[in-house]
């Protein structure tokens, strides 16, 4: 599984990380943080092997003035 | 006596309850598509291929209109075709069809997999235009993986009903969870990196990547326009290969959707909002989401609150208001 452009994404208005946004085998993909998900397990394996780095999530939008 | 045998046959074959531990063994369901030159899960549900070649292999769900499987009620096969033959055979090349069993389904199947007096029996139809001796088998995944392969011979362009019984083994571990508990491999070719001339078949051995089978005499992958068809895959308890357990399309589709489903959502020109959709079937795990067709609006993201609900989280105005089909993938 070829994973590129991996980046954590957070919920719409909080800093809670909800998924990994990545290109998987050439396709824009959203991978949940679920160890039972085989894509997530493979991404974590690649991270641990030093083959992949996941960029941190953007700051959530600021509410109010 | 004849009446007793008839009753036994009835109990075994007609009213013995669900027998087939394989989902989509008749290759009826192909949610992702019907033909692809990509590897892994691309066509028939629950089955996928593993390939390493410098040629091109096409996998497809292909309809059949005659032959022994057709006469037994099968209308589709999982076909592999050599589109571009490998020109430089390499020991690292391989091609296999794999089915991953969910562990809890095997753990709770009734197979006493650690006992040599308990068995499961595999059966499937196979046909190739390349005659030769091929290999199939089971592999466990938990604890120390165990491997069991057997050989069978195909005559060119002739359907064969392959059957094999696997006894249990004390070294087998299958967890009662949602991970992979057992793998079925049907190898079309294994290069020398994965075979040894003296490999022990017809017995469980500790899995070794470099010794999964004995050497292949024929190289399917270097044969232009080679084909290999599989259908009617069944794994059941006991020592007997009973007739295939045909299930309705709707029933098979629902079983497949535990692992993969396509759902429709709508991207609008509205501002930030969440558009949730419930899956028809709760997924094995929280699924990976990606666009199957259509397009998301700018800055929209797909979110997966849990294994029963998918969501488009539209962060800003969408640039392409449209219906979009999302694939939710929780395959093994």
């Amino acid at each position: 599984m070829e994973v590129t452009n991996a980046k954590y994404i957070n919920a719409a208005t909080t800093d809670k990380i909800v998924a990994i946004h990545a290109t998987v085998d050439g396709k824009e993909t959203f991978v949940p943080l679920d160890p039972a998900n085989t894509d997530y397990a493979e991404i974590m394996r690649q991270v641990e092997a030093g083959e992949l780095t996941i960029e941190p999530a953007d700051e959530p939008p600021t509410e109010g003035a | 006596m004849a009446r007793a045998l008839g009753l036994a046959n009835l109990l075994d074959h007609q009213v013995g309850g669900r027998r087939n531990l394989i989902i989509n063994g008749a290759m009826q369901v192909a949610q992702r598509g019907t033909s692809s030159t990509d590897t892994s899960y691309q066509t028939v549900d629950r089955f996928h291929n593993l390939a390493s070649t410098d040629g091109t292999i096409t996998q497809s769900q292909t309809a059949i209109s005659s032959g022994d499987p057709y006469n037994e009620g099968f209308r589709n096969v999982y076909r592999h075709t050599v589109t571009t033959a490998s020109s430089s055979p390499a020991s690292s090349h391989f091609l296999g069809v794999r089915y991953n069993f969910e562990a809890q389904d095997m753990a709770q199947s009734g197979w006493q997999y650690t006992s040599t007096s308990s068995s499961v029996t595999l059966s499937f139809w196979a046909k190739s235009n390349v005659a030769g001796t091929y290999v199939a088998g089971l592999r466990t995944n938990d604890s120390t993986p165990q491997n069991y392969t057997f050989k069978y011979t195909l005559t060119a362009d002739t359907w064969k009903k392959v059957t094999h019984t696997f006894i249990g083994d004390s070294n087998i571990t299958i967890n009662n969870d949602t991970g992979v508990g057992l793998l079925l491999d049907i190898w079309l070719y294994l290069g020398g990196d994965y075979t040894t001339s003296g490999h022990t078949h017809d017995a469980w051995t500790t899995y070794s990547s470099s010794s999964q089978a004995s050497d292949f005499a024929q190289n399917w992958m270097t044969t232009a326009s080679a084909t290999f068809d599989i259908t009617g895959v069944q794994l059941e308890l006991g020592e007997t290969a009973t007739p295939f357990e045909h299930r309705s399309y709707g029933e098979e589709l629902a079983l497949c959707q535990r692992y993969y489903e396509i759902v429709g959502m709508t991207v609008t020109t509205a501002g930030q909002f969440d558009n949730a959709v419930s899956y028809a079937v709760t997924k094995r795990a929280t699924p990976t989401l990606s666009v199957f067709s259509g397009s998301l609006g700018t800055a929209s993201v797909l979110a997966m609150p849990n294994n029963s609900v998918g969501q488009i989280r539209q962060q800003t105005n969408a640039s392409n208001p449209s219906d979009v089909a999302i694939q939710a993938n929780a395959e093994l």
Side-chain angles (χ1 to χ4, degrees), chain B residues 163-179:
Chain B
T163 66
H164 195 86
T165 296
F166 303 78
I167 63 172
D169 186 275
S170 60
N171 292 316
I172 291 176
T173 299
I174 300 178
N175 295 336
N176 186 33
D177 61 21
T178 58

Side-chain angles (χ1 to χ4, degrees), chain A residues 9-13 18-21 24-25 27-40 61 63, chain B residues 178 180 272 274 284-293 296 300-304 313 315 327 329-332:
Chain A
I9 56 173
N10 50 26
T13 56
V18 295
I20 298 168
H21 184 200
V24 177
D25 294 333
K27 195 171 186 63
E28 182 182 19
T29 300
F30 297 85
V31 181
L33 310 181
D34 181 353
N37 180 291
T38 54
D39 293 326
Y40 178 73
E63 297 283 357
Chain B
T178 58
V180 177
Q272 180 174 309
D274 287 346
R284 178 193 64 82
T286 310
T288 298
L289 299 183
S290 58
V291 173
F292 182 75
S293 64
L296 294 173
S300 291
V301 302
L302 296 170
M304 55 300 286
R313 178 160 291 151
Q315 308 277 29
Q327 52 185 351
N329 186 4
E331 260 298 352
L332 286 164

Side-chain angles (χ1 to χ4, degrees), chain B residues 201-225:
Chain B
H201 289 282
D202 303 324
W204 289 102
T205 57
T206 298
Y207 170 74
S208 168
S209 173
S210 61
S211 182
Q212 302 185 49
S214 55
D215 300 331
F216 274 59
Q218 74 284 352
N219 191 333
W220 187 89
M221 302 174 80
T222 59
T223 307
S225 301

Side-chain angles (χ1 to χ4, degrees), chain B residues 261 263-265 275-280 305 308-312 326:
Chain B
E261 180 181 350
V263 294
M265 296 182 182
N275 185 2
V277 61
S278 297
Y279 302 130
S308 63
V309 176
Q311 193 173 65
I312 290 180
I326 304 297

